[in-house]
Amino acid sequence: NNKKGGVKIGGGDEFDLPTAQVEALTASVEKHVRNSRDGSINWKIVSSEVGLSEDVCAKAFLHFSDEEVKKAMRGKPVYTTNDLVEGIINSVDADVVKAAVNAALGAGADVANAKAAGIVGGVVERANRLMKEETDTCNSLVAEIGRLKGEIMVARVKRIRDVEDLLEAEREELEEERKTQYFRRAKFWLGE
């Protein structure tokens, strides 16, 4: 029962927790939920009982066993896998997981629903982080587009000014030519 493969936690340090340690974690959490006035989990106590850091305990707690998944789905087909959940959990700040689980337990949820709340909290935190990254990327792209359009406008204005200068030079040359022609005609008609 102490075989590896109970839960694998990533995100910085890798932990492959034995099934017995995962079961001890779940039992400790359930005990503290029953004994707590507000239904929250004291992660320091749980971590000292299980022998893992608070962050690892919080993330490992979110992993559902196959039996828990079947029970939660109430016979409905399951389209997600623990690998998907594991990827989300491992990329989430453990403080977010702790807060979501404690809030769910404080609102009267059972342990399985608290796990689900922790996962949802993690998904929301990850979505917010990704949204911020995408927003920052979009903002920098918009700024770069604005900069490039500004450069294009400056180049166009310079070209227009160059054309205006050429036209002005041509106009002055034509004016000089017109004056020369006028004086030649005047000399011709005056007989000079």
Side-chain angles (χ1 to χ4, degrees):
N1 198 23
N2 207 19
K3 66 177 178 137
K4 292 283 184 186
V7 171
K8 185 171 185 169
I9 304 292
D13 298 322
E14 293 287 329
F15 296 95
D16 197 3
L17 303 180
T19 303
Q21 203 166 18
V22 174
E23 290 169 357
L25 171 66
T26 303
S28 177
V29 168
E30 288 175 350
K31 176 179 82 174
H32 288 285
V33 169
R34 280 192 307 274
N35 295 336
S36 171
R37 289 183 186 159
D38 62 357
S40 66
I41 299 170
N42 185 331
W43 291 101
K44 278 187 178 173
I45 295 173
V46 170
S47 79
S48 69
E49 289 178 2
V50 179
L52 297 169
S53 74
E54 290 180 49
D55 292 355
V56 172
C57 285
K59 288 184 176 185
F61 172 70
L62 294 186
H63 286 274
F64 286 89
S65 68
D66 291 339
E67 294 79 31
E68 288 174 314
V69 172
K70 288 175 189 171
K71 180 181 172 187
M73 294 306 292
R74 296 185 186 111
K76 297 176 188 162
V78 179
Y79 298 106
T80 60
T81 66
N82 274 340
D83 291 339
L84 175 64
V85 173
E86 183 178 302
I88 293 168
I89 292 168
N90 292 337
S91 68
V92 171
D93 183 3
D95 290 334
V96 172
V97 172
K98 293 176 201 174
V101 169
N102 283 336
L105 292 170
D110 61 8
V111 173
N113 285 325
K115 285 183 179 185
I119 291 171
V120 169
V123 168
V124 169
E125 188 269 340
R126 184 175 181 195
N128 281 336
R129 191 171 0 108
L130 291 174
M131 182 179 65
K132 183 186 178 323
E133 290 171 6
E134 291 299 319
T135 299
D136 291 346
T137 300
C138 287
N139 288 341
S140 67
L141 288 173
V142 167
E144 181 66 14
I145 289 170
R147 186 187 66 75
L148 291 173
K149 285 193 173 226
E151 287 179 7
I152 290 169
M153 290 300 291
V154 167
R156 285 182 179 168
V157 168
K158 184 182 179 313
R159 276 191 236 133
I160 289 171
R161 286 185 180 149
D162 290 346
V163 168
E164 286 176 342
D165 290 344
L166 288 173
L167 290 173
E168 181 62 25
E170 182 71 23
R171 188 190 65 74
E172 288 173 3
E173 189 177 314
L174 286 173
E175 181 64 23
E176 285 299 316
E177 184 66 31
R178 186 188 66 79
K179 286 180 185 176
T180 303
Q181 289 295 326
Y182 177 76
F183 287 123
R184 281 186 188 159
R185 282 189 190 151
K187 284 182 181 182
F188 178 75
W189 289 109
L190 293 175
E192 291 181 21

